[in-house]
Amino acid sequence: MKTPATTIYDVVSRCVVIDLGGKTVLLGPFNDRKQAMRAADSYIQRHTQPDGDPEPPAD
């Protein structure tokens, strides 16, 4: 089942929180929201399978 990633930008800390459905990641701080969201999108693309599910853990 496809679990969408949830991305939240915190203005005070200038960080991005990404919830990949069981795995939460904090990225930042960034200079602005646009830069933060580009980084979040890039992270999600690199760390999810094509169906949107998080990558299985490496053995």
Side-chain angles (χ1 to χ4, degrees):
M1 183 165 130
K2 186 175 181 180
T3 305
T6 303
T7 305
I8 300 170
Y9 177 69
D10 179 46
V11 178
V12 176
S13 66
R14 301 183 341 243
C15 293
V16 176
V17 178
I18 303 170
D19 179 6
L20 295 172
K23 179 180 177 183
T24 304
V25 180
L26 176 67
L27 302 176
F30 296 96
N31 293 328
D32 58 37
R33 185 180 191 280
K34 190 176 199 179
Q35 180 186 30
M37 297 313 286
R38 278 195 311 256
D41 288 341
S42 177
Y43 184 90
I44 291 167
Q45 288 176 359
R46 286 191 324 264
H47 292 88
T48 56
Q49 297 173 358
D51 63 0
D53 290 334
E55 288 182 342
D59 290 332

